[in-house]
Amino acid sequence: MKGTRTGQAAARPERIPAGPAPAVRPGGLLAFGVIVLALNLRPAVVAASPLLDTIRTDTGMSATTVGLLTTLPLLCFGLLAPFAPRLGRRFGMEPALLGTMVLICAGTALRLVPSMAALLGGTAVVGAGIAVANVLLPGVIKRDFPHRVGLMTGLYSMSLFGGAALAAGVTVPVEHAAHLDWRTTLALWGLLGLLAVAVWAPQIRRHTRATAAEARGAAHPVRGLWRHPVAWLVTGYMGLQSLSYYAAAAWLPTILGNAGMAEGAAGWMLSFSSLLGIAGAFLTPVLASRGVRPGLLATAGAVLTVAGFAGLIAAPVSGAYLWMALLGLGQGAAISLAMLFIVERAPDGRHAAQLSSMAQCFGYLLASAGPLALGAVHQLTGSWTAPLVMLVVLLVPQALIGIGAARDRHAAPGQGAREPGTGG
């Protein structure tokens, strides 16, 4: 009998320990929540672009002031990114992300008030909400989908492009079809934010207290990340691909219009490029998770984008659909790789949020200068050839940095190697 009891006691550690069961996070609902949140990270910003001429005519704003409607959010993305990890640690990832959607809804509603201060203030509030969500969502993917990083990064990046394509393509048609003024049209994108609040709210109830060890680790930010070479490779890639994307998005309709394309068709080309970007954004991390070398994917994305810009220089109107397809696929691949590098080069969710903060702080500040730089070069030269050549040249370091960021290492102070995963 004694031997039997001893044998039973020895077998007990193999059983599931008694005590409070860990919170079960329903993967489907959580994944859907991430997708809906990501869908909200571009429309409230992109929707202003096709309405800029209408806004300027109605308000009498100068070209520089009305340009703040697209530049101000990018500045918020960069300047506020460093504060996002602190908010995630203070309130928890789920409550903080719910707060970002509330800010997006509040900002779009504020722009209904008929004053310039409310318009710009609402835009800043929208930018603040998006800035924090930009940083925290990759951390959620790293924490809750460690074995589905490629798929979830693809869905996340696809949603970013999908939201941008939706806003670019339907804002003006909805305005005309419903006979709405531009303020109401912009505010309609707040409805998508309300959907995100409803979808994400259940995650708050499942938000559980951290263990003692997790709490001690989360109480302090990651130290030494800004001195880590891998972190700077990820940051450099994020910055250069952001500059290329936002500079091109800001001026593509104008470039095509100056080449003789009708205004409506030029606007559609930007939306068409974003639609192709959805495919590039989804497929790239999925291919990486299935063994395709991320360094090769970074090079392929840069080559596709170079071909698109070169086509715009040589024959902007006659080959527009081909050039927009190449740009969409190349830029979609680049943004999804930037997000994948953030997730894969971090050892855990806390490092992922901090690395995301660093990469997006630098990346979006650099991106905010891109449209201004292209416009200045165009004004100096009187042509779009030099600005497009400048973008082509910048794709060379983007590809090289992408190859470096693709190497299989963690951006963690004191840690160089990592477990097998995606490699360069």
PDB file of all heavy atoms in Angstrom, residues 234-249:
ATOM      1  N   VAL A 234      15.848  47.095 -37.904  1.00  0.00           N
ATOM      2  CA  VAL A 234      14.386  47.073 -38.003  1.00  0.00           C
ATOM      3  C   VAL A 234      13.835  48.485 -38.140  1.00  0.00           C
ATOM      4  O   VAL A 234      12.949  48.758 -38.957  1.00  0.00           O
ATOM      5  CB  VAL A 234      13.783  46.365 -36.769  1.00  0.00           C
ATOM      6  CG1 VAL A 234      12.267  46.472 -36.771  1.00  0.00           C
ATOM      7  CG2 VAL A 234      14.212  44.908 -36.726  1.00  0.00           C
ATOM      8  N   THR A 235      14.374  49.411 -37.359  1.00  0.00           N
ATOM      9  CA  THR A 235      13.924  50.797 -37.393  1.00  0.00           C
ATOM     10  C   THR A 235      14.233  51.443 -38.740  1.00  0.00           C
ATOM     11  O   THR A 235      13.389  52.155 -39.308  1.00  0.00           O
ATOM     12  CB  THR A 235      14.599  51.589 -36.259  1.00  0.00           C
ATOM     13  OG1 THR A 235      14.201  51.030 -35.007  1.00  0.00           O
ATOM     14  CG2 THR A 235      14.218  53.052 -36.295  1.00  0.00           C
ATOM     15  N   GLY A 236      15.440  51.212 -39.265  1.00  0.00           N
ATOM     16  CA  GLY A 236      15.805  51.779 -40.560  1.00  0.00           C
ATOM     17  C   GLY A 236      14.917  51.275 -41.675  1.00  0.00           C
ATOM     18  O   GLY A 236      14.501  52.038 -42.562  1.00  0.00           O
ATOM     19  N   TYR A 237      14.604  49.981 -41.642  1.00  0.00           N
ATOM     20  CA  TYR A 237      13.728  49.435 -42.685  1.00  0.00           C
ATOM     21  C   TYR A 237      12.326  50.031 -42.578  1.00  0.00           C
ATOM     22  O   TYR A 237      11.714  50.405 -43.589  1.00  0.00           O
ATOM     23  CB  TYR A 237      13.662  47.910 -42.571  1.00  0.00           C
ATOM     24  CG  TYR A 237      12.942  47.274 -43.728  1.00  0.00           C
ATOM     25  CD1 TYR A 237      13.574  47.092 -44.958  1.00  0.00           C
ATOM     26  CD2 TYR A 237      11.617  46.867 -43.613  1.00  0.00           C
ATOM     27  CE1 TYR A 237      12.908  46.528 -46.033  1.00  0.00           C
ATOM     28  CE2 TYR A 237      10.950  46.300 -44.677  1.00  0.00           C
ATOM     29  CZ  TYR A 237      11.594  46.135 -45.890  1.00  0.00           C
ATOM     30  OH  TYR A 237      10.922  45.577 -46.956  1.00  0.00           O
ATOM     31  N   MET A 238      11.818  50.146 -41.360  1.00  0.00           N
ATOM     32  CA  MET A 238      10.508  50.742 -41.155  1.00  0.00           C
ATOM     33  C   MET A 238      10.484  52.177 -41.674  1.00  0.00           C
ATOM     34  O   MET A 238       9.538  52.601 -42.343  1.00  0.00           O
ATOM     35  CB  MET A 238      10.162  50.715 -39.662  1.00  0.00           C
ATOM     36  CG  MET A 238       8.796  51.294 -39.331  1.00  0.00           C
ATOM     37  SD  MET A 238       7.466  50.230 -39.890  1.00  0.00           S
ATOM     38  CE  MET A 238       6.025  51.217 -39.443  1.00  0.00           C
ATOM     39  N   GLY A 239      11.533  52.938 -41.388  1.00  0.00           N
ATOM     40  CA  GLY A 239      11.576  54.339 -41.804  1.00  0.00           C
ATOM     41  C   GLY A 239      11.622  54.513 -43.306  1.00  0.00           C
ATOM     42  O   GLY A 239      10.878  55.315 -43.877  1.00  0.00           O
ATOM     43  N   LEU A 240      12.469  53.756 -43.985  1.00  0.00           N
ATOM     44  CA  LEU A 240      12.623  53.932 -45.431  1.00  0.00           C
ATOM     45  C   LEU A 240      11.389  53.459 -46.189  1.00  0.00           C
ATOM     46  O   LEU A 240      10.969  54.107 -47.151  1.00  0.00           O
ATOM     47  CB  LEU A 240      13.869  53.184 -45.903  1.00  0.00           C
ATOM     48  CG  LEU A 240      15.191  53.837 -45.508  1.00  0.00           C
ATOM     49  CD1 LEU A 240      16.367  52.943 -45.868  1.00  0.00           C
ATOM     50  CD2 LEU A 240      15.344  55.203 -46.190  1.00  0.00           C
ATOM     51  N   GLN A 241      10.782  52.339 -45.765  1.00  0.00           N
ATOM     52  CA  GLN A 241       9.590  51.902 -46.486  1.00  0.00           C
ATOM     53  C   GLN A 241       8.409  52.852 -46.214  1.00  0.00           C
ATOM     54  O   GLN A 241       7.580  53.070 -47.097  1.00  0.00           O
ATOM     55  CB  GLN A 241       9.242  50.444 -46.146  1.00  0.00           C
ATOM     56  CG  GLN A 241       8.747  50.153 -44.762  1.00  0.00           C
ATOM     57  CD  GLN A 241       7.280  50.453 -44.568  1.00  0.00           C
ATOM     58  OE1 GLN A 241       6.499  50.433 -45.532  1.00  0.00           O
ATOM     59  NE2 GLN A 241       6.897  50.740 -43.335  1.00  0.00           N
ATOM     60  N   SER A 242       8.352  53.430 -45.024  1.00  0.00           N
ATOM     61  CA  SER A 242       7.293  54.398 -44.726  1.00  0.00           C
ATOM     62  C   SER A 242       7.446  55.650 -45.577  1.00  0.00           C
ATOM     63  O   SER A 242       6.464  56.186 -46.099  1.00  0.00           O
ATOM     64  CB  SER A 242       7.321  54.773 -43.238  1.00  0.00           C
ATOM     65  OG  SER A 242       7.043  53.667 -42.419  1.00  0.00           O
ATOM     66  N   LEU A 243       8.679  56.129 -45.704  1.00  0.00           N
ATOM     67  CA  LEU A 243       8.923  57.314 -46.522  1.00  0.00           C
ATOM     68  C   LEU A 243       8.496  57.056 -47.966  1.00  0.00           C
ATOM     69  O   LEU A 243       7.812  57.881 -48.584  1.00  0.00           O
ATOM     70  CB  LEU A 243      10.399  57.701 -46.461  1.00  0.00           C
ATOM     71  CG  LEU A 243      10.805  58.989 -47.170  1.00  0.00           C
ATOM     72  CD1 LEU A 243      12.009  59.620 -46.475  1.00  0.00           C
ATOM     73  CD2 LEU A 243      11.142  58.774 -48.643  1.00  0.00           C
ATOM     74  N   SER A 244       8.895  55.915 -48.507  1.00  0.00           N
ATOM     75  CA  SER A 244       8.548  55.581 -49.891  1.00  0.00           C
ATOM     76  C   SER A 244       7.046  55.520 -50.077  1.00  0.00           C
ATOM     77  O   SER A 244       6.495  56.075 -51.043  1.00  0.00           O
ATOM     78  CB  SER A 244       9.186  54.241 -50.270  1.00  0.00           C
ATOM     79  OG  SER A 244       8.801  53.838 -51.562  1.00  0.00           O
ATOM     80  N   TYR A 245       6.350  54.879 -49.147  1.00  0.00           N
ATOM     81  CA  TYR A 245       4.906  54.700 -49.284  1.00  0.00           C
ATOM     82  C   TYR A 245       4.157  56.030 -49.183  1.00  0.00           C
ATOM     83  O   TYR A 245       3.335  56.366 -50.040  1.00  0.00           O
ATOM     84  CB  TYR A 245       4.386  53.730 -48.223  1.00  0.00           C
ATOM     85  CG  TYR A 245       2.882  53.646 -48.197  1.00  0.00           C
ATOM     86  CD1 TYR A 245       2.201  52.925 -49.176  1.00  0.00           C
ATOM     87  CD2 TYR A 245       2.133  54.293 -47.221  1.00  0.00           C
ATOM     88  CE1 TYR A 245       0.818  52.857 -49.180  1.00  0.00           C
ATOM     89  CE2 TYR A 245       0.752  54.235 -47.213  1.00  0.00           C
ATOM     90  CZ  TYR A 245       0.098  53.513 -48.194  1.00  0.00           C
ATOM     91  OH  TYR A 245      -1.274  53.465 -48.199  1.00  0.00           O
ATOM     92  N   TYR A 246       4.432  56.796 -48.123  1.00  0.00           N
ATOM     93  CA  TYR A 246       3.652  58.008 -47.901  1.00  0.00           C
ATOM     94  C   TYR A 246       4.010  59.120 -48.891  1.00  0.00           C
ATOM     95  O   TYR A 246       3.143  59.913 -49.275  1.00  0.00           O
ATOM     96  CB  TYR A 246       3.813  58.489 -46.457  1.00  0.00           C
ATOM     97  CG  TYR A 246       3.008  57.664 -45.498  1.00  0.00           C
ATOM     98  CD1 TYR A 246       3.613  56.697 -44.696  1.00  0.00           C
ATOM     99  CD2 TYR A 246       1.634  57.821 -45.398  1.00  0.00           C
ATOM    100  CE1 TYR A 246       2.871  55.921 -43.822  1.00  0.00           C
ATOM    101  CE2 TYR A 246       0.882  57.053 -44.529  1.00  0.00           C
ATOM    102  CZ  TYR A 246       1.498  56.100 -43.741  1.00  0.00           C
ATOM    103  OH  TYR A 246       0.760  55.328 -42.891  1.00  0.00           O
ATOM    104  N   ALA A 247       5.264  59.193 -49.301  1.00  0.00           N
ATOM    105  CA  ALA A 247       5.638  60.182 -50.314  1.00  0.00           C
ATOM    106  C   ALA A 247       4.945  59.881 -51.638  1.00  0.00           C
ATOM    107  O   ALA A 247       4.413  60.788 -52.301  1.00  0.00           O
ATOM    108  CB  ALA A 247       7.152  60.190 -50.500  1.00  0.00           C
ATOM    109  N   ALA A 248       4.932  58.612 -52.023  1.00  0.00           N
ATOM    110  CA  ALA A 248       4.260  58.243 -53.272  1.00  0.00           C
ATOM    111  C   ALA A 248       2.757  58.443 -53.169  1.00  0.00           C
ATOM    112  O   ALA A 248       2.121  58.974 -54.096  1.00  0.00           O
ATOM    113  CB  ALA A 248       4.587  56.795 -53.618  1.00  0.00           C
ATOM    114  N   ALA A 249       2.160  58.032 -52.050  1.00  0.00           N
ATOM    115  CA  ALA A 249       0.707  58.156 -51.893  1.00  0.00           C
ATOM    116  C   ALA A 249       0.257  59.615 -51.948  1.00  0.00           C
ATOM    117  O   ALA A 249      -0.809  59.926 -52.484  1.00  0.00           O
ATOM    118  CB  ALA A 249       0.273  57.519 -50.575  1.00  0.00           C
TER     119      ALA A 249
END
